[in-house]
Amino acid sequence: DAGVIQSPRHEVTEMGQEVTLRCKPISGHNSLFWYRQTMMRGLELLIYFNNNVPIDDSGMPEDRFSAKMPNASFSTLKIQPSEPRDSAVYFCASSPRRGSPFFGANVLTFGAGSRLTVL
Amino acid sequence: AQSVTQPDIHITVSEGASLELRCNYSYGATPYLFWYVQSPGQGLQLLLKYFSGDTLVQGIKGFEAEFKRSQSSFNLRKPSVHWSDAAEYFCAGIAGGTSYGKLTFGQGTILTVHP
C-alpha cells in the first residue's frame, strides 16, 4: 500500500487566494482526519469523517475552511480566502473501520503533510 | 476533560544513553494510548500502542512504553539511543471503548541526540 497520499507537498500563495489540499486515504480505511500543525498550537484536529460523512467539524477554525469527502478514496480541505495565519502544515490521516484496536481501529496512519505558506 | 500532557518540551541525551519521555493522561476510564514519532519534514509514524492487557508494550525501533494506571502515565523508553532517534515524539490518547473518534495529542517532546 502506498500509504496516505497528500498533495501538494508545498504550497505558497498570496493572501486572499483559494487553497485546496487533497488527500487519498489508505484503501479500506473508512475514517479520515484532517489535522493542522503549527509551532504555537501543536497538532489540532480540524475535522474527521467516518464512511465519508463528517462526524465532528468543531475544530474547523472558521467559515473560510471547508472539507469534503465525496467518496472513500478522496478528500479535500479548502481555504477560501486564505490568510497569513493559515500558514501551517496540514496532515491527513486515516484509520481502519470502526471496531477493536486489535484490528487497527483508532490507529491513525498519517500522510507526509502539505506545508502551506500564505504571504 | 480528557487530555494528554507531555511535561518535557525538549530533551537532550548522548548517543548510547537511555531515554525516557514522559506522558500523563487524564481520562475517566482506561484510555487507548499511542506514541508517534515525527522526523523533520515528515508525517507522524506510529511507534507503539496500548489498549489493554500487558502494561509493558513493545514497539518499533527498539522503543517500549509502560502503562501505569496508578500514576496516569504512559512513558516511552529506549535503553540505548541512536543519533537517528533525534525527532519529535508525540503521545496521544482516546477514551477506551471508542471505536472511532478524535485522538488527543500531547504537545510533543523534541529529542536531541549528542554524539
Side-chain angles (χ1 to χ4, degrees):
Chain A
D1 198 317
V4 177
I5 300 173
Q6 292 187 245
S7 64
R9 289 295 312 276
H10 301 274
E11 174 93 6
V12 179
T13 190
E14 293 188 346
M15 183 173 63
Q17 295 299 305
E18 178 180 296
V19 174
T20 300
L21 307 178
R22 298 172 178 79
C23 175
K24 176 179 168 54
I26 291 174
S27 178
H29 284 191
N30 71 341
S31 293
L32 183 140
F33 305 79
W34 282 100
Y35 281 86
R36 179 171 68 175
Q37 186 179 39
T38 60
M39 290 290 291
M40 293 297 295
R41 294 175 170 266
L43 274 162
E44 303 174 277
L45 177 65
L46 300 178
I47 185 171
Y48 77 91
F49 295 83
N50 197 58
N51 291 327
N52 312 336
V53 176
I55 302 300
D56 187 341
D57 64 356
S58 60
M60 296 287 262
E62 45 196 279
D63 291 346
R64 297 184 297 106
F65 285 70
S66 62
K68 293 183 180 179
M69 193 166 184
N71 57 62
S73 60
F74 184 66
S75 177
T76 59
L77 178 67
K78 185 176 294 187
I79 309 172
Q80 167 63 17
S82 59
E83 296 182 2
R85 60 193 168 121
D86 301 330
S87 298
V89 181
Y90 291 81
F91 288 103
C92 176
S94 67
S95 71
R97 60 183 297 113
R98 57 189 298 176
S100 166
F102 284 101
F103 301 103
N106 293 313
V107 180
L108 271 61
T109 299
F110 282 79
S114 295
R115 180 175 295 276
L116 172 65
T117 302
V118 183
L119 303 176
Chain B
Q2 299 175 343
S3 67
V4 172
T5 304
Q6 293 177 247
D8 304 306
I9 296 174
H10 194 174
I11 283 185
T12 300
V13 300
S14 298
E15 190 169 17
S18 63
L19 171 70
E20 183 168 27
L21 302 182
R22 295 185 292 165
C23 173
N24 297 108
Y25 65 87
S26 175
Y27 285 87
T30 300
Y32 301 148
L33 296 167
F34 308 82
W35 275 100
Y36 283 84
V37 60
Q38 184 180 27
S39 297
Q42 302 296 314
L44 280 74
Q45 181 184 21
L46 180 70
L47 285 176
L48 47 79
K49 61 185 183 288
Y50 170 82
F51 38 84
S52 68
D54 290 341
T55 57
L56 186 62
V57 182
Q58 301 298 320
I60 63 171
K61 304 185 179 186
F63 285 92
E64 66 178 25
E66 187 170 12
F67 174 73
K68 291 186 176 180
R69 186 190 309 274
S70 61
Q71 298 177 16
S72 297
S73 69
F74 187 58
N75 294 349
L76 182 71
R77 302 193 296 244
K78 187 169 185 177
S80 178
V81 172
H82 189 263
W83 64 266
S84 60
D85 293 325
E88 188 163 14
Y89 292 80
F90 293 90
C91 183
I94 189 169
T98 304
S99 45
Y100 65 91
K102 306 188 274 191
L103 273 185
T104 299
F105 281 86
Q107 300 90 324
T109 299
I110 297 171
L111 174 65
T112 298
V113 181
H114 281 321

